Amino acid sequence: MKNTFFSLIMIAFFVSCGVANKIGSPSEDRLSNLNYIKSNLEFLASDELEGREATTRGEKLASLYIAKELQKYGVQPYGNDGTYFQYFDLKLTYYGIDSQISLLKSDSTRELTFDFVEDFISISGEYSDSIYVSDSSHIVFVGDGRSDNNHDDYVNLDVNGKTVLIFSEAPNSQNDFFEGNIKAYYAKLSGKISIAKSKGATGVLFIPDGNVTCNWDLFRWTSQSPFFEYTREQSDTLSEVKNIPAFILNKESAREFLESEKYNYEQLVSLLNSNETPPYFELDHQVKYNLKVMRETKKTRNVIGVIEGNDSGLKNEFVSLGAHYDHLGIRGELIYNGADDNASGTTVLLGAARVFAKSKKNSRPIIVIF
């Protein structure tokens, strides 16, 4: 970790020094540049900033620090009302940790309950519309969930008003027609969800592939992260699209869903690995959703400064330089410091702003946007 951190500092140092040399700063400024870069990167990536997730306390502290540095360098404010800040709203959507799905056995003798994050995870941007959050439905296994001109996993299947159970990975086909853009489309879960919706399905549950299974803890933490959406005027039209519940089961949950069914988990995975077309069938069980979709709007801000140019004939031609200063914040008990994503880029941009503001050799005005 120390070697990586030092490498980031040196990369930023040489970039900043390269800028300095091109515009004529004396070479003795290099040590000063390195000190600025080191201190900026250390602070932005410190635990005190709590991973700088957008809309959080850590993000606000980072924006205050960046603005103070720009002021120190002589960079003029270019945000709202004479400040360095450009404010805007973000809509946050996420599932409450108490969300559950239940498996209702056909003989009604027992009900299995699965907990969000532990037993199943959400898919970024896919949050159930309110009409489906407490829905119950039958379950149909549809293999890869593929439907195109060459092959249709949904043919002769009635999935209207039902939940479909699908392999999460892209179909493994040796046929030449299943390559390129088509394969890329089916590699994305959003493509399979879109097809399921078009067939009338009201829920999607994915059987996990090896990547998900091996990295379940990482996916669990990612699943808890809110989905950020920039709010625009008249954005209510977005709500007209009815999202259906869509989740990835973990390996144990998938096994329980298929227990005592016509084909169990191991049999279906074996068919997938042998490149055979799996059978499609309706499960004897039903699924019930008990979902808590949380929505809120929070303010956040960009940090913007301007370095005036020295050629009046070019005052309306702007050069813009940008970097994002937010990161993932806190997941569980871990702080995601984001030294490389993107405290390093923010630090380089601060270094460039300092050198340009000091030299005053730029012909056009330069806008720096964080």
Side-chain angles (χ1 to χ4, degrees):
M1 181 63 187
K2 288 184 178 178
N3 289 337
T4 302
F5 188 71
F6 181 74
S7 298
L8 293 174
I9 292 175
M10 294 309 297
I11 290 169
F13 170 62
F14 286 118
V15 170
S16 183
C17 288
V19 172
N21 288 338
K22 286 181 181 298
I23 61 178
S25 292
S27 58
E28 53 263 29
D29 275 355
R30 290 189 176 186
L31 183 58
S32 175
N33 288 338
L34 181 56
N35 288 335
Y36 272 105
I37 288 167
K38 184 174 185 294
S39 62
N40 287 341
L41 184 54
E42 283 181 341
F43 180 74
L44 289 169
S46 67
D47 285 352
E48 286 73 19
L49 266 62
E50 301 169 347
R52 310 185 307 278
E53 184 172 30
T55 76
T56 66
R57 171 181 174 274
E59 178 251 1
K60 290 180 175 60
L61 289 174
S63 67
L64 286 169
Y65 179 83
I66 294 168
K68 197 67 177 177
E69 288 297 295
L70 292 179
Q71 184 182 42
K72 184 195 304 182
Y73 305 158
V75 178
Q76 299 302 306
Y78 207 61
N80 300 137
D81 303 321
T83 72
Y84 289 98
F85 305 120
Q86 179 191 44
Y87 294 90
F88 58 99
D89 290 335
L90 283 178
K91 185 172 74 174
L92 280 64
T93 309
Y94 55 96
Y95 280 114
I97 197 65
D98 55 344
S99 294
Q100 294 179 324
I101 56 178
S102 299
L103 188 62
L104 310 177
K105 293 294 185 177
S106 57
D107 57 7
S108 301
T109 56
R110 64 190 180 110
E111 176 180 320
L112 298 178
T113 301
F114 302 86
D115 296 322
F116 177 55
V117 176
E118 293 303 321
D119 303 314
F120 66 96
I121 55 176
S122 62
I123 299 160
S124 179
E126 300 288 342
Y127 293 93
S128 175
D129 190 86
S130 59
I131 64 175
Y132 302 118
V133 296
S134 58
D135 202 16
S136 296
S137 64
H138 291 276
I139 311 167
V140 182
F141 174 72
V142 294
D144 295 314
R146 176 179 157 203
S147 180
D148 53 53
N149 292 333
N150 299 292
H151 180 83
D152 189 355
D153 288 330
Y154 289 87
V155 66
N156 299 325
L157 287 178
D158 176 18
V159 300
N160 192 53
K162 300 176 183 178
T163 290
V164 292
L165 185 64
I166 309 176
F167 284 126
S168 63
E169 55 197 289
N172 181 20
S173 174
Q174 303 300 319
N175 297 324
D176 293 337
F177 65 77
F178 194 66
E179 297 295 340
N181 292 335
I182 297 177
K183 187 165 187 175
Y185 178 76
Y186 287 109
K188 295 180 180 180
L189 299 187
S190 58
K192 298 189 180 192
I193 295 169
S194 178
I195 291 172
K197 287 169 63 176
S198 71
K199 302 294 184 179
T202 54
V204 178
L205 296 174
F206 287 103
I207 298 173
D209 58 27
N211 179 52
V212 173
T213 300
C214 292
N215 298 284
W216 184 254
D217 285 341
L218 175 61
F219 282 99
R220 284 175 61 236
W221 286 336
T222 304
S223 184
Q224 298 175 68
S225 177
F227 178 72
F228 293 95
E229 182 181 22
Y230 176 60
T231 59
R232 302 172 175 85
E233 291 184 6
Q234 300 178 338
S235 62
D236 289 344
T237 55
L238 296 176
S239 63
E240 295 175 1
V241 179
K242 304 297 184 185
N243 284 343
I244 62 177
F247 300 103
I248 306 176
L249 303 170
N250 65 14
K251 187 176 180 179
E252 292 72 24
S253 300
R255 182 177 282 112
E256 289 191 79
F257 262 76
L258 291 163
E259 183 184 7
S260 303
E261 291 291 344
K262 184 176 181 180
Y263 296 90
N264 62 30
Y265 172 82
E266 281 73 19
Q267 289 172 318
L268 291 177
V269 170
S270 177
L271 288 171
L272 175 70
N273 292 336
S274 61
N275 203 30
E276 295 183 38
T277 302
Y280 312 126
F281 61 97
E282 184 165 324
L283 279 65
D284 290 332
H285 314 322
Q286 293 187 49
V287 65
K288 179 177 175 57
Y289 299 100
N290 182 18
L291 309 175
K292 305 294 192 304
V293 183
M294 317 300 289
R295 292 184 172 89
E296 55 184 315
T297 299
K298 291 186 176 181
K299 287 193 176 297
T300 190
R301 59 194 183 188
N302 297 324
V303 186
I304 308 180
V306 64
I307 304 161
E308 298 295 345
N310 55 33
D311 187 335
S312 60
L314 299 173
K315 64 180 181 180
N316 293 322
E317 296 184 16
F318 293 80
V319 174
S320 65
L321 305 175
H324 74 88
Y325 66 92
D326 64 309
H327 192 55
L328 297 179
I330 300 174
R331 298 287 183 271
E333 297 180 354
L334 292 179
I335 297 175
Y336 284 72
N337 301 88
D340 189 32
D341 185 13
N342 193 15
S344 59
T346 299
T347 296
V348 170
L349 185 52
L350 280 170
R354 176 177 172 271
V355 172
F356 278 121
K358 182 178 180 181
S359 70
K360 296 181 172 57
K361 290 184 178 294
N362 52 295
S363 299
R364 294 169 176 79
I366 300 173
I367 297 175
V368 287
I369 308 175
F370 303 84

